[in-house]
Amino acid sequence: MTAPTAAPASTSVTARRLWIRTRGLLLALAVLAAAGIALAALRSNSQHGSLDPRSADQYGSRAVAQLLKAQGVSTHVVTTLDEATAATGPDTTLLITVPDLLTEAQQRQLRAATTDSGGRTVLIAPGSPSLGILAPGVRAESPVSVKPRDPGCAQPAATRAGRADTGGIRYAAPDETGDGCYPADGLPTLLRTAPHRQGDTVLLGAPDILLNHRLDKEGNASLALQLLGTRPHVVWYLPSLGDVSATDGGQRSFFDLIPSGWRWATLQLALAAALAAIWRARRLGPLVTEQLPVAIRASEATEGRARLYRKANARDRAAETLRSATRSRLAPLVGVTASAAHSPEVLVPAVSARLPAAGRDPLSLLFGPTPADDAALVRLADELDALEREVRTS
């Protein structure tokens, strides 16, 4: 009586096995996702509504808007360039929160609209990207920390406000075109350009006096009201990347939108990847003979190659292989060198001289056309064998 054979172990992937294999990876992904969500939640409100007169968080400017309203000054928020330029006028103060975010075309359009408007334009922390157009002749110097500073000038707005939290970007302008206050290291952090047709431009190096959590410090509230309350209307311009005018008429390419720092970083990463590839590349030395684990008979290799030719329907390649091998074997038998073995002008006359007068046609056999079918290919092989035997026995 034979013993019962054990059932083979199942190799199929079950749900339990799949869970055991992937639970570590899934746990790591869950921890990473939770950390990302927590970090995003913690930082989502840090700068929410920055300089927005509708925002009541610490970085918003709703308190300034309420003080202006109490003084009879209206505040109108706009987010597109067309709205900002359409609202300019002699009774309007245009406040631009992020002038450096504007494209060159937007800056030129804004400058053209405000130059002859007769109103006031207030630029918050403008830098080199915008000063050349919005405030010609003014240069941006290295920034300083924001802290309480004395006016250090004779501007009525500054003298009435007194000390205020100023700093940030410092500005340098010719004496005849600017009136600076709140100096830091010899350069003003608040600059008012010379009036043009009853209008002027004010450059503020830092936005701190407009923020809700800084408004009750020093003379910040007074200075904000002095700068923004000179006219009955304030147009509060919050530049947006979704503004259609930011496309510059569709002339900017994809690469123009990529900051230059990212381009250099990409170049450095590509260089590092190339160096790593060179370092880790395999060094190919001389060929080393290796003992095959299994000896394969020549007949099996020949049969395998023949099957490949048949599967690919490559009768031309098979016929040429047969003819080339026959020519190579016949050449030394008829006194032809190996270099001339595949030349019909040399090989065919030498072979014909070794055959009977009514023998085979060596030209069609050794250099003829491709067989039309498999049967013709078999006949060609037989005739080549017969031709070689006749030459050997002649």
Side-chain angles (χ1 to χ4, degrees):
M1 182 176 181
T2 60
T5 59
S10 175
T11 59
S12 61
V13 179
T14 63
R16 185 172 182 275
R17 289 182 178 179
L18 184 61
W19 163 250
I20 294 175
R21 293 178 183 178
T22 60
R23 60 185 178 183
L25 178 61
L26 294 176
L27 179 61
L29 292 177
V31 172
L32 184 62
I37 294 174
L39 184 61
L42 290 175
R43 300 185 60 182
S44 61
N45 293 326
S46 61
Q47 293 288 339
H48 176 69
S50 179
L51 287 178
D52 192 331
R54 300 163 298 188
S55 175
D57 64 25
Q58 60 178 346
Y59 294 102
S61 300
R62 185 177 180 181
V64 175
Q66 294 296 323
L67 291 178
L68 290 172
K69 182 179 179 181
Q71 298 293 326
V73 179
S74 64
T75 301
H76 178 54
V77 179
V78 298
T79 57
T80 65
L81 181 64
D82 292 339
E83 293 176 318
T85 55
T88 58
D91 58 348
T92 300
T93 297
L94 176 61
L95 172 66
I96 306 174
T97 56
V98 192
D100 289 350
L101 189 63
L102 301 174
T103 65
E104 183 176 344
Q106 287 179 308
Q107 294 171 10
R108 294 188 183 282
Q109 185 176 348
L110 193 61
R111 177 66 179 177
T114 57
T115 298
D116 298 327
S117 66
R120 165 170 285 186
T121 303
V122 179
L123 306 177
I124 304 300
S128 300
S130 58
L131 284 178
I133 298 175
L134 297 179
V138 179
R139 302 191 318 273
E141 301 295 340
S142 58
V144 295
S145 61
V146 176
K147 63 181 182 179
R149 287 186 169 87
D150 294 321
C153 66
Q155 274 195 48
T159 56
R160 285 195 290 266
R163 289 171 61 87
D165 291 331
T166 55
I169 301 176
R170 299 175 302 152
Y171 301 102
D175 295 338
E176 65 274 9
T177 62
D179 184 8
C181 295
Y182 298 98
D185 297 336
L187 292 176
T189 58
L190 187 151
L191 181 67
R192 174 177 175 267
T193 62
H196 179 74
R197 295 191 181 183
Q198 306 303 319
D200 59 3
T201 301
V202 176
L203 284 65
L204 187 60
D208 293 65
I209 66 170
L210 303 177
L211 303 179
N212 291 332
H213 73 291
R214 302 291 290 270
L215 194 63
D216 60 343
K217 305 294 192 301
E218 303 293 341
N220 296 346
S222 176
L223 182 59
L225 291 178
Q226 299 292 329
L227 296 178
L228 302 180
T230 59
R231 287 160 176 80
H233 305 291
V234 173
V235 176
W236 204 291
Y237 181 23
L238 300 172
S240 171
L241 292 175
D243 190 353
V244 177
S245 63
T247 59
D248 282 345
Q251 298 299 319
R252 303 183 73 189
S253 65
F254 170 77
F255 295 100
D256 294 333
L257 300 176
I258 301 177
S260 58
W262 283 98
R263 301 175 192 173
W264 284 109
T266 303
L267 179 61
Q268 293 175 7
L269 289 176
L271 180 60
L275 293 177
I278 295 174
W279 171 53
R280 298 296 297 176
R282 290 186 61 185
R283 272 65 171 177
L284 299 179
L287 293 178
V288 178
T289 58
E290 183 181 5
Q291 188 69 26
L292 295 177
V294 178
I296 302 175
R297 291 183 299 176
S299 60
E300 294 182 2
T302 302
E303 291 176 1
R305 187 173 182 182
R307 291 191 185 96
L308 291 176
Y309 279 145
R310 184 177 184 181
K311 184 177 182 180
N313 199 24
R315 285 188 295 273
D316 55 342
R317 304 291 290 276
E320 178 58 28
T321 300
L322 293 173
R323 285 168 170 159
S324 177
T326 303
R327 292 194 298 264
S328 299
R329 290 191 297 268
L330 288 176
L333 297 177
V334 297
V336 175
T337 61
S339 60
H342 304 289
S343 175
E345 294 81 2
V346 179
L347 183 63
V348 172
V351 173
S352 299
R354 303 287 294 272
L355 296 176
R360 307 175 188 278
D361 181 12
L363 179 62
S364 62
L365 289 176
L366 297 174
F367 298 96
T370 301
D373 50 25
D374 291 345
L377 180 62
V378 173
R379 287 196 301 271
L380 174 63
D382 294 339
E383 292 178 1
L384 288 174
D385 287 340
L387 175 63
E388 185 176 350
R389 283 195 302 270
E390 291 180 8
V391 173
R392 288 181 182 275
T393 59
S394 61

